[in-house]
Amino acid sequence: MIKLVEKFKGRQRIVELIEKFRLYYKYNFFIKNNLRKQLKKIIYKQKNEKKILIPLIETNHYQHFQILILGKALQIRGANVKVIVCDGFLEGCEIKSVKNNYFNDPCFACRFNVKNSHQFFDLDTVKIQEIINLKTKSELLQKAKGIYLNEQILYKGYNLTNSINDSVLRYFYGKIPTQLKYLNDIKLKHTHTAIISIEIAIRMNKSYNPDIIL
């Protein structure tokens, strides 16, 4: 059994290295030059004071470019656009799964894109750690530990049960493990993420007060 686990770990590490190489290659030989050309000459219209919040969070999937393009188009037309990204803050997320649980750095692609690609869009970008500091993150973890095994997971009047269970199901690609501790560890991480998300929504609504959430 130990040999099988070590073999699986080894395969995941190889996949991780290949994915990093592909990311570097695509960015340096295609994405960077395209973004530089397409976003270098922009004429902005007069500001219309509309506040648009884009909770992008994940920046690994190619779709994040499509959302940033839409955000840029709105900014060009005068909107005040603010983008929220994770940048490796959340313990439970869509990127992390049973397929990469032995990666040394499963958040690498997200952080890489925030650091390199996002600069070309010149959008006001806020990282979660600027909204929720590490002390608050730790406090929210303790709150998550108190509710994650409940039949109904409630936080500040919001029922998070279905979204958490769906996230756990996706983590395991539908094949829920029989090891209860392993299952509960993942459920705790996604419960933690869920209540952090509620706190982000409350705080951003108060501080930024967006007209539109994209």
Side-chain angles (χ1 to χ4, degrees):
M1 182 65 182
I2 295 175
K3 287 184 178 180
L4 285 174
V5 171
E6 290 300 321
K7 187 175 182 180
F8 184 63
K9 284 183 181 179
R11 286 180 177 176
Q12 283 202 1
R13 299 283 164 75
I14 292 171
V15 170
E16 183 179 15
L17 288 173
I18 292 172
E19 290 299 319
K20 285 183 177 180
F21 174 78
R22 287 177 58 192
L23 188 62
Y24 274 114
Y25 181 83
K26 286 174 65 177
Y27 174 76
N28 285 294
F29 289 94
F30 298 100
I31 295 174
K32 180 171 65 175
N33 291 332
N34 286 339
L35 291 177
R36 184 177 288 144
K37 290 176 183 177
Q38 294 169 5
L39 296 171
K40 69 177 181 178
K41 290 184 178 180
I42 295 175
I43 300 174
Y44 292 90
K45 295 184 178 180
Q46 186 176 359
K47 288 191 176 297
N48 59 31
E49 301 306 322
K50 283 286 184 182
K51 293 181 180 180
I52 299 177
L53 181 64
I54 304 178
L56 188 58
I57 313 299
E58 174 197 330
T59 51
N60 176 66
H61 196 277
Y62 72 86
Q63 191 181 51
H64 88 275
F65 284 113
Q66 299 169 347
I67 297 172
L68 288 174
I69 289 168
L70 180 55
K72 190 64 183 180
L74 293 167
Q75 184 196 53
I76 290 171
R77 287 158 177 79
N80 182 336
V81 180
K82 192 180 292 289
V83 180
I84 302 176
V85 297
C86 172
D87 200 44
F89 188 84
L90 299 172
E91 301 299 329
C93 73
E94 295 296 309
I95 297 303
K96 297 169 186 173
S97 73
V98 69
K99 290 187 176 182
N100 62 19
N101 59 338
Y102 290 118
F103 277 22
N104 287 322
D105 186 6
C107 300
F108 177 81
C110 280
R111 290 201 313 273
F112 181 90
N113 284 325
V114 169
K115 181 180 178 181
N116 295 285
S117 301
H118 284 220
Q119 60 180 313
F120 295 102
F121 291 90
D122 192 30
L123 293 170
D124 184 8
T125 301
V126 180
K127 297 177 182 178
I128 292 179
Q129 62 184 340
E130 297 175 53
I131 307 169
I132 305 289
N133 59 34
L134 292 177
K135 180 176 181 294
T136 304
K137 181 182 181 182
S138 179
E139 292 170 352
L140 293 176
L141 176 59
Q142 296 308 310
K143 291 183 179 180
K145 287 180 178 179
I147 63 174
Y148 81 108
L149 292 179
N150 294 347
E151 185 176 347
Q152 294 292 312
I153 305 173
L154 307 174
Y155 184 75
K156 291 193 173 180
Y158 296 94
N159 191 330
L160 305 173
T161 311
N162 288 337
S163 62
I164 291 169
N165 288 340
D166 286 348
S167 294
V168 172
L169 190 65
R170 284 194 293 272
Y171 180 92
F172 292 108
Y173 284 85
K175 192 176 181 180
I176 299 298
T178 55
Q179 302 96 322
L180 194 59
K181 185 181 184 306
Y182 182 22
L183 175 62
N184 286 340
D185 284 346
I186 300 304
K187 189 172 184 179
L188 174 59
K189 289 180 178 180
H190 283 282
T191 302
H192 191 202
T193 288
I195 65 176
I196 286 175
S197 300
I198 294 294
E199 289 295 335
I200 290 170
I202 292 171
R203 295 176 188 212
M204 289 304 296
N205 191 54
K206 185 177 180 180
S207 64
Y208 186 57
N209 190 26
D211 298 296
I212 298 170
I213 299 176
L214 180 60

